[in-house]
Amino acid sequence: MDYSDPVYVAAWFRAFVLTQLVEAPIYRRIGKVPWWAALMPSALTHPFVWFVFPRLREAGVSYLGMVACAEGFAWGVEAIFLAAMGLSVKRATLISLLANASSVAAGLFLRIFGLV
């Protein structure tokens, strides 16, 4: 797969915007962090999820395995970021889980109903 293909990059950008629209308000409201810090977790992880983890498929990892690795990475890194912002590790981990599960659910919903 060509990850520099403009169609793929455009799909990434749409997914990134959706992720920010879903996750940032969760981080802002529940995590009580400033807006810049609410936008940062996904900005750090999303490019890896879309441009690095898909390469696992080329190494023979199943789609589900690749998604599990990518989402686990996003959940963990985003929780670490929130903890670095002063949230307890437990709270940061739970909020990151909520935010990531919400954006995955939103993406699946849009995909299932043919909206993306």
Side-chain angles (χ1 to χ4, degrees):
M1 169 172 265
D2 179 9
Y3 300 105
S4 64
D5 177 16
V7 173
Y8 187 80
V9 174
W12 164 77
F13 185 74
R14 287 190 305 274
F16 177 67
V17 169
L18 174 65
T19 299
Q20 290 289 27
L21 288 171
V22 172
E23 293 185 12
I26 292 171
Y27 289 138
R28 174 77 174 117
R29 179 144 182 141
I30 299 172
K32 298 185 182 352
V33 297
W35 272 112
W36 72 267
L39 294 165
M40 202 57 151
S42 299
L44 294 170
T45 61
H46 208 270
F48 287 95
V49 168
W50 271 73
F51 295 103
V52 176
F53 282 93
R55 296 173 194 273
L56 291 175
R57 298 282 290 130
E58 297 164 11
V61 175
S62 70
Y63 177 78
L64 187 57
M66 182 269 300
V67 169
C69 289
E71 289 302 323
F73 164 81
W75 177 28
V77 170
E78 293 176 24
I80 290 168
F81 178 84
L82 293 172
M85 291 300 301
L87 279 70
S88 72
V89 171
K90 180 179 179 180
R91 185 166 172 78
T93 301
L94 290 173
I95 293 170
S96 178
L97 177 61
L98 174 64
N100 280 280
S102 297
S103 64
V104 167
L108 288 173
F109 176 85
L110 292 174
R111 181 178 247 180
I112 288 168
F113 290 99
L115 301 171
V116 292

